[in-house]
Amino acid sequence: MGAEDNVPLDDKAKRMRDLLSSFYAPDPSTNNAPSNPGTLDAINTSSFDADQYMNLLIQKSNLDELLQRHVEMAAEIKNIDTDLQMLVYENYSKFISATDAIKRMKSDIVGMEANMEQLLDKIMSVQSKSDGVNTSLFEKRENIEKLHRTRNLLRKVQFIYDLPTRLGKCIESEAYVDAVKFYTGALPIFKAYGDSSFQDCKQASEEAISIIVKKLQGKLFSDSESIQARTEAAVLLKQLDFPVDSLQVKLLEKLEQSLGDLQLKTDDIENASMESNDPKLGKVPDSVHITAHEGSIRGFAEAISAYRVIFPDSEGHLIKLAQDLVVKHFETVEQCVKGRFSCANLLVVLRTIWTDVLLMDEVLSEAVLPGFSLEAAQNALKQHVASTFNYLLHDISDALLRLNVSSKEAAEENPLQVALEASKKALLQGSMDVLLDFRQLLDDDLGLLVQLRDFVSDWVQEGFQDFFRALYDRFFLLSGRKSSSSQDQGLTAGAHGEKVLAGLVLVLSQLSVFIEQTAIPRITEEIAASFPGGGARVYENGPAFVPGVMCRIFRSAGERLLHHYINMRTQKVSTLLRKRFTTPNWVKHKEPREVHMFVDLFLQELKETTSEVKQILPQGLERKHRRSDSNGSTASSRSNQLRDDKTNRSNTHKARSQLLETHLAKLFKQKVEIFTKVERTQESVVTTAVKLCLKSLQEFVRLQTFNRSGFQQIQLDIQFLRTPLKETVEDEAAVDFLLDEVIVAASERCLDPIPLEPPILDRLIQAKLAKWKEKNPITP
């Protein structure tokens, strides 16, 4: 039963089609399916022969196939019976429903014919009565219509006779619109009968109109009149057929002059901004300014619309005027954003400008003002972003430069710590405030800003990149050094007008570390959360903001500034040492009576350094590098042994013999690692500064020639320094080594290197220590 048709169908669809065909088309001729009585497929055709089919089936099939075919045919017969039964049931239900519907229709139509006949009789009766009424009133209706036409004509005649009086009243009340309306309405009658019946009325009306024309011309060129009044005058003159084309140049010049009054004023914007920020005033005064401005712009738009009708060839000039007004608006905005101008106030101004643009675009779409204003807004917003970051940079600089003032007034106990905390707050809180302020530009649904959101995100990220680079340059300018990209020399006049404080350099170093470790990661997270998207601009050198690069820059800056601070402190001591060693004549030096004053000055400088470092840097690990820990202990002990041996010898020959031993010892001594990496801790910075100072002291000693007393003075000074330095520095071994090297260098440059006797040396040192402890009761 698998007959093949032109359209492939499944078995059930084929059975349904055959059943419907057999039910609705019992004629065998309607079945066009091709058949071959000699095939097994002929069972589905009208020419089916059962005997022939059975013989063919027996010939071609074995017993198993016959049994299988028997099962299949039994199932197909059952399915066909079921489908046929369902088809009969479905059609039977439809026939029952159709029969019920026909019965209902018959019962409803039974009384309808009688009702229709009654309705027709009533309609005919009404029509006959209406014809009677029309016939009886026909003559009266014609008379009424004639009287009505006569009445209208008399009204028009009366209007013509009253027209001069009406025009005079309009002139008195300056109702020129009504006057022109009355006169233009009477013109057809004057043209038809003005030379005969209404000659006097026409003459009087023309005299009144001539007065009106002069009045309108006066308003047209009056500077005291508004744009709306002048535009209205031009339209009325055009309606009176006055040749206004000759006045086009003057009228457009007047319209151009009015741009100055329509332009947003810087004072008005600043006043509106101050009022909008005043909690007592709220934002009501701001709306008053905007409403007044919007009224003026509406008048300007109406003037443009009217002039386009009056002067069809003035479109190009009007487009230029509209674009010039937009340019002037944004020039005012650029002037405002040069100062401190919040995004909330900027949004008020941009919303006002966008409203003006839309009003003018309604009457002058050819100017494409939305696109034109979009380009101008890009420049204004970019300048606003740059100006905001510039003021943030100034705030941080001001917080740092206050350190100079506070150091002079000495009003604060820890000025460096105060300056550092103030700078951190100005940087981090200022950056967060800037991001929060800029976020308003993205959240606002103003049509002008919606198109610039990606640009704003790019500008903010680019602004932070430029801001940190400028801050990097500013740090080095404030420190008295030049960075690789320093360019703005005028920004640090306050720092270079006087000597740079070493404490300021230390603050800058620690602030650089804060920027690297805290500020940049925090700002990066906020940018990622609040300023997604971007990418509207193509950057030749990579993304707008690269936190990794900025972190590396400020890490390097922190290290450089820390070394610069140590060098500044060391240079100050070096200046002191230069004066100390170049002033006296060491060959004629007198016997030492006490520790020299330069030691007090040196310790005072060390005390200031320690005080500054304690305010800024953290403490390191509690570890002292003792002499026994150093690989140079052998050399140091040899130097001490040299000094002790010298005290036991009393003649010059033995001292010089010992000097030879010193040279031999230096050849075999182990090298001490003096200058290690500077850690960002109090102890490391102070120790490094002391090492550099002692190394400088050693070099100054090597440049001089000493007599015995001069050598003994150096010995006394250095021996005294051991105790206070031991309490201050971290690497005691290296400091002891350097102190020993100073004594050795002095002995090498001495003509008679005989040291002080130990009792005398101890007595002088103890006396000085007592005085020093009185001045410094608390050990630094």
Side-chain angles (χ1 to χ4, degrees), residues 664-681:
L664 292 175
K666 290 175 65 176
L667 293 175
F668 296 99
K669 70 180 179 180
Q670 298 179 4
K671 186 176 181 181
V672 177
E673 187 179 1
I674 299 173
F675 298 105
T676 58
K677 182 181 178 181
V678 181
E679 302 293 338
R680 193 169 290 277
T681 60

Side-chain angles (χ1 to χ4, degrees), residues 233-335:
V235 173
L236 295 177
L237 288 174
K238 183 75 173 180
Q239 293 177 1
L240 293 174
D241 296 331
F242 186 83
V244 293
D245 293 338
S246 59
L247 306 176
Q248 178 177 350
V249 177
K250 293 183 179 180
L251 290 176
L252 292 178
E253 287 179 355
K254 288 286 185 182
L255 188 62
E256 186 174 357
Q257 292 174 2
S258 65
L259 293 182
D261 298 331
L262 297 174
Q263 178 184 356
L264 290 172
K265 302 295 189 301
T266 305
D267 295 339
D268 294 338
I269 293 177
E270 292 177 353
N271 293 335
S273 301
M274 293 175 62
E275 292 169 353
S276 63
N277 294 329
D278 192 342
K280 297 180 180 179
L281 299 177
K283 294 188 176 181
V284 176
D286 193 21
S287 62
V288 173
H289 290 292
I290 295 175
T291 304
H293 175 77
E294 183 177 350
S296 302
I297 290 295
R298 287 188 181 276
F300 181 73
E302 293 173 1
I304 291 177
S305 179
Y307 283 3
R308 292 189 67 185
V309 177
I310 300 171
F311 311 117
D313 58 342
S314 65
E315 182 177 294
H317 195 96
L318 294 175
I319 289 175
K320 184 178 182 301
L321 290 180
Q323 291 178 348
D324 288 345
L325 180 59
V326 175
V327 170
K328 290 181 181 295
H329 280 349
F330 280 102
E331 286 178 352
T332 304
V333 174
E334 290 177 1
Q335 290 294 326

Side-chain angles (χ1 to χ4, degrees), residues 428 431-432 435 460-461 464-465 468 515-532 545-551:
L428 189 56
S431 299
M432 294 297 105
L435 289 173
V460 171
Q461 296 181 37
F464 267 111
Q465 185 85 355
F468 281 118
I515 293 173
E516 176 213 348
Q517 298 178 353
T518 304
I520 292 180
R522 174 73 182 281
I523 291 171
T524 303
E525 293 177 0
E526 190 65 25
I527 289 177
S530 301
F531 293 86
F545 181 54
V546 187
V549 174
M550 293 296 101
C551 288

Side-chain angles (χ1 to χ4, degrees), residues 557-732:
E559 295 176 357
R560 292 174 60 188
L561 289 170
L562 184 60
H563 284 90
H564 182 45
Y565 168 76
I566 296 173
N567 291 335
M568 290 180 67
R569 281 299 180 187
T570 307
Q571 288 172 5
K572 192 171 182 181
V573 176
S574 297
T575 303
L576 176 65
L577 293 174
R578 183 179 294 107
K579 294 180 180 179
R580 163 61 180 153
F581 284 94
T582 57
T583 301
N585 186 353
W586 290 96
V587 179
K588 299 180 180 180
H589 200 279
K590 297 180 180 180
E591 291 184 3
R593 297 182 180 275
E594 62 179 357
V595 177
H596 195 270
M597 183 178 60
F598 99 90
V599 175
D600 294 332
L601 298 177
F602 172 70
L603 292 177
Q604 182 63 31
E605 290 295 329
L606 182 60
K607 181 179 179 182
E608 293 180 5
T609 303
T610 305
S611 175
E612 292 176 348
V613 167
K614 285 183 177 180
Q615 296 181 49
I616 300 299
L617 299 178
Q619 287 185 344
L621 298 176
E622 293 294 334
R623 182 182 66 85
K624 288 283 187 177
H625 189 186
R626 301 297 178 184
R627 294 178 57 92
S628 58
D629 298 334
S630 174
N631 56 3
S633 58
T634 302
S636 300
S637 61
R638 287 182 178 178
S639 297
N640 292 333
Q641 183 180 0
L642 168 65
R643 187 183 65 246
D644 295 336
D645 290 344
K646 285 181 179 180
T647 58
N648 297 325
R649 300 179 183 182
S650 59
N651 55 65
T652 304
H653 177 73
K654 291 182 180 181
R656 289 180 179 177
S657 178
Q658 186 62 42
L659 181 60
L660 179 60
E661 294 179 10
T662 302
H663 285 291
L664 292 175
K666 290 175 65 176
L667 293 175
F668 296 99
K669 70 180 179 180
Q670 298 179 4
K671 186 176 181 181
V672 177
E673 187 179 1
I674 299 173
F675 298 105
T676 58
K677 182 181 178 181
V678 181
E679 302 293 338
R680 193 169 290 277
T681 60
Q682 300 174 10
E683 296 80 5
S684 178
V685 172
V686 173
T687 300
T688 304
V690 171
K691 289 178 180 179
L692 289 173
C693 292
L694 294 179
K695 194 65 178 176
S696 178
L697 175 60
Q698 180 184 357
E699 296 302 323
F700 278 113
V701 168
R702 288 177 176 175
L703 296 177
Q704 302 297 327
T705 302
F706 303 93
N707 63 0
R708 180 189 299 179
S709 299
F711 169 69
Q712 293 175 351
Q713 181 68 56
I714 297 298
Q715 179 194 6
L716 175 62
D717 296 340
I718 297 303
Q719 193 66 23
F720 170 76
L721 282 174
R722 292 181 186 276
T723 300
L725 292 183
K726 186 184 301 183
E727 299 173 355
T728 305
V729 300
E730 180 183 33
D731 191 357
E732 181 185 342

Side-chain angles (χ1 to χ4, degrees), residues 373-439:
S373 61
L374 188 65
E375 296 178 1
Q378 288 186 14
N379 297 329
L381 286 173
K382 188 175 182 180
Q383 183 175 344
H384 172 64
V385 172
S387 177
T388 302
F389 281 111
N390 190 33
Y391 277 103
L392 177 59
L393 183 63
H394 276 287
D395 291 341
I396 298 172
S397 298
D398 291 343
L400 292 170
L401 291 175
R402 291 193 192 100
L403 180 60
N404 290 336
V405 179
S406 62
S407 62
K408 291 180 180 179
E409 297 176 352
E412 297 174 349
E413 183 178 356
N414 298 317
L416 299 185
Q417 185 178 1
V418 173
L420 178 60
E421 295 301 324
S423 303
K424 288 181 179 179
K425 182 178 180 181
L427 173 63
L428 189 56
Q429 187 61 44
S431 299
M432 294 297 105
D433 292 342
V434 165
L435 289 173
L436 184 63
D437 199 33
F438 286 146
R439 181 64 195 179

